[in-house]
Amino acid sequence: MSRKYVFNATGGPEVLECIDTAVPAPSAGEVRISVKAIGLNRAEVMYRTGHYVIDPVFPAQLGYEAAGIIDAIGPGVSGLRVGDAVSVIPGFAFTDYGMYGELVNAPARAVVRHPETISFEKAAASWMMFTTAYGALIEYGALSAGETVLIRAASSSVGLAAIQIANMVGARPIAITRGQAKRQGLLDAGASAVLCTDDKNIAADVERLTAGKGARIVFDPVGGPGAADLIRSLHHGGIFFQYGALDHSDIPVPVFDLLGKHLTIRGYELFEITTDDEKLARAKTFIIDGIASGKLDARIDQVFDFDDMAAAHAHLESNSQIGKIVVRV
């Protein structure tokens, strides 16, 4: 028997239940993993509270990211072996797989051997954040040296990943955060500048920092009224990526900026990358190379024990962290 977390009603962290379950042998195209660490994600909080893109099916499992050791291989799997140290990349629905367990099955296409130089905790923290940022900034945005990207909610794990990826390709990451408390932490994380939405003059600040040129990409998981100033900060041909909805209200679009600058405003989600084998292969190469070179390094805010999953979720919801929250199994 193996322990895993499920929930049978939406609500706060207290709805999480740790149960004993038998984990079957992996089916075709699957591997079974003895989990050593789990990376937590905002999507899991949204799913647990009933505010995600899909509704939970009870008893509901959850968990997109894990790292561990393969202990069994299903039919038709190639390129992976029993004993491999691997990470799981989010590329499936919670209704199909969940990583909050001591022993889990995962689709082999979403499993990658991670560099031996990193710990299981770092491996479990890496793939959601770096793949999400890679997809918008590199796969679709083609961010290049000398260009400016505005990164909202920059102290989140994905925001920190975007800062590192921008620096990796020689671009200029400007971090956007709510107040002054995280300014130094973001500068230490590699942001070239930090702007606060509390100041309410983002567009003017970006114009000043870029000598009037503006940014080419905005990477925003928040949305809401504050997105308008970020859209105004884009230069001609700029792209606004909305990859979350922390503010559920609609985005006001400044129409003359949209028309006059020929802007692109698009929704973006991780699964555009992780459900496409060719795009996922490019992401794996980029991220593994970045980790191996040390240019990409997942920042971990805090590590919790498996028995303290509810406390880990509560910390995630506090919004006080800078970086990734990891659960050690």
Side-chain angles (χ1 to χ4, degrees):
M1 300 294 285
S2 171
R3 295 187 299 162
K4 69 180 289 188
Y5 279 93
V6 299
F7 61 100
N8 285 284
T10 57
E14 69 279 358
V15 302
L16 294 170
E17 303 175 38
C18 191
I19 65 170
D20 292 323
T21 185
V23 180
S27 299
E30 294 180 339
V31 298
R32 193 170 65 189
I33 300 169
S34 175
V35 176
K36 303 301 181 184
I38 299 164
L40 302 195
N41 294 285
R42 183 70 56 177
E44 291 143 20
V45 170
M46 296 171 69
Y47 187 59
R48 191 201 72 223
T49 57
H51 296 103
Y52 196 44
V53 292
I54 59 172
D55 293 327
V57 177
F58 302 122
Q61 60 187 356
L62 70 174
Y64 274 135
E65 283 185 289
I69 297 172
I70 293 178
D71 89 329
I73 299 280
V77 173
S78 61
L80 296 168
R81 298 177 299 177
V82 170
D84 281 346
V86 294
S87 307
V88 179
I89 305 170
F92 47 83
F94 291 140
T95 48
D96 296 323
Y97 298 95
M99 297 299 111
Y100 281 16
E102 295 172 320
L103 190 66
V104 301
N105 284 316
R109 64 172 305 278
V111 172
V112 59
R113 285 196 299 270
H114 58 246
E116 295 178 358
T117 53
I118 65 171
S119 67
F120 285 111
E121 289 81 8
K122 289 272 190 179
S126 294
W127 285 93
M128 171 72 88
M129 58 190 284
F130 287 127
T131 308
T132 301
Y134 162 88
L137 272 57
I138 306 301
E139 180 71 29
Y140 295 123
L143 183 68
S144 61
E147 296 181 326
T148 297
V149 54
L150 305 183
I151 302 165
R152 197 175 182 190
S155 62
S156 69
S157 59
V158 175
L160 295 174
I163 290 172
Q164 291 187 24
I165 286 174
N167 284 324
M168 182 173 169
V169 300
R172 184 185 189 190
I174 295 179
I176 312 293
T177 189
R178 285 185 297 179
Q180 299 290 337
K182 297 179 179 179
R183 177 184 292 275
Q184 190 58 50
L186 289 167
L187 291 171
D188 293 344
S192 69
V194 179
L195 301 178
C196 300
T197 53
D198 288 350
D199 297 339
K200 302 187 186 306
N201 58 355
I202 295 294
D205 287 338
V206 173
E207 184 175 10
R208 172 179 54 82
L209 288 169
T210 60
K213 185 176 181 181
R216 196 174 74 77
I217 293 176
V218 171
F219 189 50
D220 183 9
V222 182
D229 244 5
L230 301 180
I231 294 170
R232 291 189 186 97
S233 301
L234 288 165
H235 67 57
H236 190 276
I239 307 173
F240 179 92
F241 288 100
Q242 182 73 36
Y243 74 95
L246 297 179
D247 186 329
H248 295 176
S249 56
D250 290 340
I251 298 172
V253 177
V255 66
F256 289 113
D257 287 273
L258 179 68
L259 293 171
K261 297 180 182 178
H262 304 167
L263 302 180
T264 298
I265 298 175
R266 83 186 292 287
Y268 162 74
E269 60 178 1
L270 166 75
F271 298 107
E272 295 183 55
I273 304 299
T274 60
T275 58
D276 183 304
D277 287 343
E278 292 184 1
K279 293 173 183 174
L280 180 58
R282 289 193 289 270
K284 288 178 179 179
T285 298
F286 182 94
I287 293 165
I288 289 172
D289 288 349
I291 291 172
S293 69
K295 294 178 180 178
L296 301 182
D297 181 24
R299 176 168 178 174
I300 296 176
D301 176 83
Q302 190 168 341
V303 179
F304 289 80
D305 290 332
F306 189 70
D307 290 335
D308 296 327
M309 185 67 77
H313 267 238
H315 183 54
L316 178 58
E317 289 184 273
S318 74
N319 295 319
S320 62
Q321 73 275 10
I322 298 180
K324 193 81 167 181
I325 297 167
V326 173
V327 170
R328 182 184 294 118
V329 182

